[in-house]
């Protein structure tokens, strides 16, 4: 009988990630990076509604950050970005205009299929995900966000 590699615990990084509540070794690696930079670790705490034609669905981003202006930044990590995942992200973006979702790919230069010339990064950019990274969250992204104990800057208005 063929072994199901997706749910196999034979991968030691994945087994360690599962032990700590993550679904992949990449999520675990990014979580450790977030902690080392002393940012709050908000792993899968938000659920966003989105509409797939003819049905409502929910999507839970991997990591959520509060930016200095008080808005949110969502980080999704992907080792494999399947066609189902790509379609889901397309629907999430269409259902949540203006959302700041950024992707951390294990291999952004990976082709979306054997027959395609399109890479994960190219497809993300085509969907309007302007921020993609390889394996780690870039320092510039962290610089946009609040650390533990920091408060967002208040937006000054004329009448306040």
């Amino acid at each position: 009988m063929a072994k199901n590699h997706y749910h196999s615990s034979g991968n030691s990084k994945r087994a360690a990630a599962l032990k700590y509540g993550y679904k992949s070794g990449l999520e675990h690696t990014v979580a450790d990076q977030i902690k080392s930079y002393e940012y709050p670790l908000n792993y899968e705490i938000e659920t966003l509604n989105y509409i797939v034609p003819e049905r409502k669905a929910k999507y839970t981003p991997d990591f959520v950050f509060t930016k200095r202006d008080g808005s949110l930044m969502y980080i999704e990590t992907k080792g494999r970005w399947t066609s189902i995942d790509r379609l889901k992200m397309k629907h999430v973006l269409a259902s949540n205009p203006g959302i700041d979702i950024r992707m951390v790919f294990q291999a952004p230069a990976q082709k979306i299929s054997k027959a395609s010339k399109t890479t994960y990064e190219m497809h993300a950019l085509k969907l309007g995900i302007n921020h993609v990274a390889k394996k780690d969250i870039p320092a510039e992204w962290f610089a946009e966000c609040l650390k533990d104990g920091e408060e967002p800057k208040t937006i000054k208005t004329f009448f306040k």
Side-chain angles (χ1 to χ4, degrees):
M1 182 173 206
K3 187 175 182 181
N4 183 343
H5 292 284
Y6 183 74
H7 293 287
S8 153
S9 61
N11 178 332
S12 62
K13 284 186 178 185
R14 186 166 194 287
L18 291 171
K19 178 180 172 185
Y20 291 102
Y22 301 101
K23 295 180 190 127
S24 73
L26 181 59
E27 285 181 0
H28 190 205
T29 299
V30 169
D32 285 345
Q33 181 199 14
I34 292 167
K35 287 189 259 182
S36 74
Y37 278 84
E38 298 178 358
Y39 284 87
L41 182 60
N42 297 316
Y43 175 73
E44 291 193 350
I45 63 163
E46 294 266 338
T47 300
L48 304 173
N49 293 320
Y50 68 103
I51 297 172
V52 176
E54 304 304 319
R55 72 178 176 93
K56 288 185 179 181
K58 293 186 183 240
Y59 160 69
T60 303
D62 291 328
F63 300 96
V64 180
F65 289 92
T66 302
K67 293 174 24 178
R68 296 191 178 283
D69 66 2
S71 64
L72 298 177
M73 175 195 304
Y74 300 96
I75 304 287
E76 181 66 26
T77 61
K78 287 291 177 197
R80 285 183 59 226
W81 200 20
T82 65
S83 60
I84 292 168
D85 292 334
R86 294 190 304 269
L87 182 60
K88 180 188 338 182
M89 187 57 65
K90 178 181 176 181
H91 292 310
V92 168
L93 292 165
S95 300
N96 297 279
I99 192 168
D100 185 1
I101 293 183
R102 303 179 189 199
M103 307 277 301
V104 175
F105 292 111
Q106 190 165 345
Q110 175 74 36
K111 304 278 192 263
I112 61 171
S113 72
K114 290 179 183 178
S116 178
K117 293 182 179 179
T118 304
T119 65
Y120 287 174
E121 181 175 21
M122 290 164 63
H123 192 74
L125 294 172
K126 178 182 172 187
L127 290 177
I129 301 170
N130 293 319
H131 306 333
V132 294
K134 181 179 180 178
K135 291 193 181 180
D136 288 325
I137 297 174
E140 299 81 38
W141 295 6
F142 281 123
E144 295 178 49
C145 301
L146 299 174
K147 289 189 174 192
D148 278 331
E150 290 184 324
E151 295 292 326
K153 292 181 181 175
T154 55
I155 299 171
K156 295 180 181 178
T157 62
F158 181 75
F159 296 105
K160 221 170 184 184

